[in-house]
Amino acid sequence: MNDITGGILKLTDDLALTRMGYGAMRLTGPGIWGPPNDRAEAIRVLRTVADLGLLHIDTSDYYGPHVVNDLIREALHPYPDGLRIVTKVGGRRGPDKSWHPALTEPELIEAVYDNLKRLDVERLDVVNLRMFDTGDPTVPFSVLAALMDEGLIAHLGVSNVTADQLLVCRGIAPVVCVQNAYNLVDRSDDALVDVCAEQGLAYVPFFPLGGFSPLQSQVLDEVARDLGATPQQTALAWLLHRSPTICVIPGTSSVAHLRENVEAAGLRLTGDALARLGSLG
């Protein structure tokens, strides 16, 4: 990790991601719904992502809905060389701002075409299938595999999946990334993190600061203070140290916060810091 990009993780001949990425979900209004409070700042955030050399933007057409992809297109199209936009399908928003599965064939096809239209591309770089339970992903993943065969998707990933679900999906088509909940204190996916490293798959954790108890937060705060960093930076740095194929996608709607987040890639954790942080899991 020599710079703020966290280095490059090459997944295939045509897919390389900076290990420090950007999650665009927070560019919406409150509740991941509607337009941002400050549209100009949202555009500046996305352009700063590109200016910093980050090549990994995570999005979904059901963020907003549609708001985030529209912002990405407005800010960055035509897209910089090497930038990869990773989107997600399998969910939809209700009119009451609720979240629901959308895993039928017509829903998935519509979602892929919505992403293509909103992002103004002929092929999506990576599409993650978002599962909502531990059910069989065969049918929905097969739909996406067929769309990949048609040339509408370059690569496939999965989100919110178990190890068994990942195995099923990999039996249908190649998987390049897994996006699951994982952080310093929620390490239930430890084995899957290691499997991804062994198999050369990107593991992309979400909720990097979720689920901390007051005592755990206190330890994180103390370690961060000793390092001269923020707790968020420290938690992100630990994730990057945890596995060579972990990519992080912290989200923000502020340029200043974005710059603060990406500085985590250059943070060096001492042996003592790693031991203290390791005790939190």
Side-chain angles (χ1 to χ4, degrees):
M1 295 183 291
N2 296 320
D3 57 34
I4 60 173
T5 71
I8 299 289
L9 176 61
K10 187 172 182 180
L11 297 168
T12 69
D13 288 342
D14 64 342
L15 180 64
L17 303 176
T18 49
R19 295 185 63 213
M20 174 61 70
Y22 172 69
M25 183 175 72
R26 297 294 175 186
L27 293 181
T28 64
I32 321 302
W33 187 269
N37 293 328
D38 187 339
R39 186 179 184 86
E41 179 72 354
I43 296 295
R44 282 193 291 270
V45 167
L46 288 164
R47 290 177 177 165
T48 303
V49 167
D51 290 344
L52 291 173
L54 306 187
L55 302 179
H56 179 186
I57 294 180
D58 180 83
T59 184
S60 174
D61 209 40
Y62 59 76
Y63 294 160
H66 310 310
V67 169
V68 171
N69 280 355
D70 286 346
L71 288 168
I72 291 172
R73 183 190 68 248
E74 178 181 341
L76 297 175
H77 194 278
Y79 301 112
D81 290 342
L83 177 67
R84 297 293 178 257
I85 299 174
V86 180
T87 192
K88 190 183 303 91
V89 298
R92 62 178 176 84
R93 302 299 298 277
D96 60 350
K97 305 181 184 180
S98 53
W99 303 76
H100 304 280
L103 294 165
T104 67
E105 182 174 3
E107 289 172 318
L108 292 168
I109 292 173
E110 180 182 8
V112 166
Y113 275 96
D114 278 347
N115 277 278
L116 288 165
K117 177 182 177 181
R118 298 279 178 175
L119 293 170
D120 194 10
V121 294
E122 295 183 355
R123 184 174 69 167
L124 298 169
D125 295 323
V126 184
V127 174
N128 284 327
L129 173 67
R130 209 288 187 184
M131 294 298 293
F132 279 74
D133 57 31
T134 58
D136 187 353
T138 298
V139 171
F141 199 75
S142 296
V143 171
L144 297 183
L147 294 173
M148 183 170 68
D149 289 341
E150 291 179 24
L152 300 179
I153 300 170
H155 300 284
L156 294 174
V158 288
S159 177
N160 198 44
V161 295
T162 65
D164 288 342
Q165 288 174 318
L166 172 60
L167 189 62
V168 169
C169 292
R170 295 187 73 190
I172 297 167
V175 172
V176 296
C177 56
V178 175
Q179 189 178 103
N180 277 7
Y182 183 78
N183 58 43
L184 266 170
V185 298
D186 177 6
R187 302 186 195 171
S188 54
D189 243 15
D190 261 340
L192 191 52
V193 169
D194 292 336
V195 167
C196 287
E198 292 165 3
Q199 299 295 324
L201 310 182
Y203 185 96
V204 186
F206 54 81
F207 298 137
L209 283 178
F212 279 69
S213 70
L215 181 58
Q216 290 167 328
S217 293
Q218 179 182 343
V219 172
L220 177 60
D221 289 347
E222 291 171 353
V223 173
R225 185 168 56 250
D226 291 346
L227 294 171
T230 69
Q232 172 84 348
Q233 289 172 326
T234 304
L236 292 171
W238 181 86
L239 286 168
L240 290 170
H241 278 79
R242 168 63 181 83
S243 164
T245 67
I246 278 184
C247 296
V248 295
I249 50 169
T252 180
S253 58
S254 156
V255 170
H257 191 207
L258 168 66
R259 292 184 180 279
E260 180 180 287
N261 283 339
V262 300
E263 288 174 2
L267 186 62
R268 297 298 182 266
L269 300 182
T270 65
D272 177 67
L274 287 170
R276 293 167 69 190
L277 294 173
S279 69
L280 298 180

